Amino acid sequence: MIRFLKKRDTDTSRTQPQPAGRNEIIIHEEDTISLSTMVLSDIRKGNFFIQGEAIVEKNSFITGTIVSTNAIITGRVDGEVICTGEVVLAASAIVEGNLKASTVVISPHAIFNGNLMISGQTSARAESLLSEKINLAQRLLNKGYIPEVEILVESDPPKNNIMTAFKKTEKKNKHDQKGDENSSSSDDTVSSWW
């Protein structure tokens, strides 16, 4: 099933997840495995196997394969995304590669360049891949492997410089209008121009 969003989705629990503040990951060869939700940010390369939800942040650039239960992509992914459940491509998403899931939601302005496969078979393949890596991670943990912890830093919201500049200009214009009473009004200037 493919859904194209025409207006903002009101279900914020699915589209605006609240990250836990850190990723606990198990790294094995070129694979990164998470037994819960994982936030992918910055520039990263490799294969990511995530038991929970994969969240690709807006200013991130991920190169490789992402296999997860669900995925929310607001940044850029160059590679394959395989999910057992739903993939959401936000308006800012750029995906260059194949996308395989049971359900796909594509927001306006999202960029997708690749093959799209939506079926129950995708789910079975993803579950098999994910199950294999999750079992490996659990075996490593049982043998005493300590997961690495990535602390997630919340970025400050961008300052709205346009509004600040507008307010300064607005104040300046009001001051100038009070100043010179002998100057001609703007209506006279406009009418004499024609």
Side-chain angles (χ1 to χ4, degrees), residues 3-9 105-109:
R3 293 186 319 204
F4 294 93
L5 296 180
K6 292 186 179 178
K7 61 180 184 177
R8 186 178 181 100
D9 194 349
V105 178
I106 301 175
S107 298
H109 305 292

Side-chain angles (χ1 to χ4, degrees), residues 39-179:
V39 177
L40 296 164
S41 58
D42 297 323
I43 298 172
R44 298 183 76 158
K45 292 182 182 182
N47 301 314
F48 302 91
F49 296 91
I50 303 162
Q51 187 172 19
E53 192 167 55
I55 302 166
V56 178
E57 290 190 324
K58 188 173 184 177
N59 295 322
S60 61
F61 185 6
I62 310 303
T63 304
T65 301
I66 299 172
V67 181
S68 65
T69 305
N70 296 308
I72 298 174
I73 301 172
T74 58
R76 181 175 178 145
V77 176
D78 282 7
E80 191 169 39
V81 179
I82 305 169
C83 291
T84 60
E86 181 177 68
V87 174
V88 176
L89 299 182
S92 58
I94 300 172
V95 177
E96 297 278 342
N98 297 332
L99 186 59
K100 300 174 183 178
S102 295
T103 305
V104 176
V105 178
I106 301 175
S107 298
H109 305 292
I111 298 171
F112 172 67
N113 185 20
N115 294 318
L116 178 62
M117 178 189 256
I118 302 171
S119 75
Q121 293 174 347
T122 300
S123 169
R125 180 175 175 238
E127 284 176 13
S128 173
L129 279 169
L130 198 51
S131 176
E132 177 186 325
K133 296 299 179 177
I134 296 304
N135 288 336
L136 170 66
Q138 289 173 341
R139 283 194 311 270
L140 289 170
L141 289 172
N142 290 338
K143 290 180 180 180
Y145 182 92
I146 298 173
E148 292 186 29
V149 176
E150 298 175 332
I151 303 298
L152 302 174
V153 178
E154 188 174 325
S155 60
D156 293 331
K159 293 181 181 177
N160 194 340
N161 294 332
I162 294 171
M163 284 305 292
T164 306
F166 174 75
K167 287 178 183 177
K168 287 179 183 175
T169 305
E170 186 179 65
K171 286 180 184 177
K172 182 179 176 186
N173 289 341
K174 284 183 182 178
H175 179 69
D176 289 346
Q177 288 174 356
K178 291 179 188 176

Side-chain angles (χ1 to χ4, degrees), residues 19-30:
R22 65 189 195 147
N23 291 326
E24 288 189 14
I25 57 174
I26 294 127
I27 298 176
H28 183 261
E29 297 173 1
E30 291 184 17

